[in-house]
Structures are given as C-alpha cells and as structure tokens.
Amino acid sequence: MGPARETLRIDKWLWQARFFKTRSLAARVVSAGKLRVNGTRVTKPSATVGPGDTLTFPQARRIRVVRVLALGERRGPAPEAQALYDDLTPPEESVPGAPRPEGKGRPTKKERRKFDPFRRSPLD
C-alpha cells in the first residue's frame, strides 16, 4: 500500500484559504449541501479534502471552482492563502447597464427624462 494521502477537513480548508470569514460559515455552506468535491455533493463539514481535489461552491453571487494545490498550516495572509488553490472560475462577463451621462456636470431635466425608462420606481 502506498503512502497515506494528506487530507484536511473541508470546512477548515475553506476557512484557511480565506473563502469564508469564519469556519462556522464554511461549515454551514457544506452542511446545506452546496459544496461539491470532484463533482460529488458533500454534506458533512468533517469530509476531507487533499491536493488535486476540485471544489465547486457558491460564494456571494458567483459559483467558484477551485483546485486544491496544498493544505495550509494556519490561516495566514491573503498571498499565503492564494497559494493553496488554483482558481478555475471563468471570469465574469460585464453586463451593460443603463446609459450614463457623459460627465459634463449635472444632467438637465430633459437629459434626466431620457434615463427614466431605466430607473426603477421606488414602489416596485
């Protein structure tokens, strides 16, 4: 039998890699069944992860896909945390918003009427 593979609890690794501010937040995401390890859904924060595993999970309004490169010893500074993973998340595409004034100062009443169709009503 080969050497044992190094592993770490998934909630602890997500916290050390600075994806979540607290370990309990990371555990909550895992417990809710929102994390996948190598395509398999994981629901226990005590599940282990090791180098080479691919994780898929929601973070804010994005779906993150990362490959684990190393296990951390501690929750260190951001550059140290970024060395623990390879980010495979595709870059976000910018969505064009409403047109903006050209920056010539405050728009006139006539110019503001052009933007009304793009604004939401406060009652919506």
Side-chain angles (χ1 to χ4, degrees):
M1 190 188 261
R5 180 180 150 186
E6 287 187 49
T7 59
L8 188 67
R9 284 178 59 112
I10 189 72
D11 61 338
K12 190 170 184 178
W13 188 87
L14 288 168
W15 172 71
Q16 286 180 349
R18 293 186 167 265
F19 287 109
F20 297 97
K21 192 170 184 175
T22 63
R23 191 167 159 189
S24 62
L25 284 174
R28 193 177 308 156
V29 169
V30 176
S31 296
K34 296 180 180 179
L35 178 101
R36 293 181 180 269
V37 178
N38 298 325
T40 306
R41 193 169 126 192
V42 176
T43 58
K44 293 187 177 185
S46 62
T48 57
V49 66
D53 289 337
T54 303
L55 309 178
T56 307
F57 57 94
Q59 186 182 31
R61 296 178 183 207
R62 301 174 56 185
I63 300 294
R64 300 293 301 261
V65 180
V66 296
R67 180 175 296 122
V68 178
L69 298 178
L71 303 178
E73 296 293 321
R74 65 187 184 119
R75 187 174 199 254
E80 188 178 306
Q82 290 169 350
L84 300 178
Y85 63 91
D86 184 22
D87 195 359
L88 305 174
T89 306
E92 286 187 32
E93 295 179 17
S94 62
V95 179
R100 299 280 181 195
E102 296 177 13
K104 298 178 184 174
R106 186 174 175 180
T108 64
K109 188 171 184 178
K110 182 179 179 182
E111 291 170 335
R112 285 196 311 265
R113 282 191 214 114
K114 290 181 189 177
F115 300 121
D116 282 342
F118 299 105
R119 291 189 188 162
R120 289 188 188 162
S121 168
L123 302 176
D124 285 343

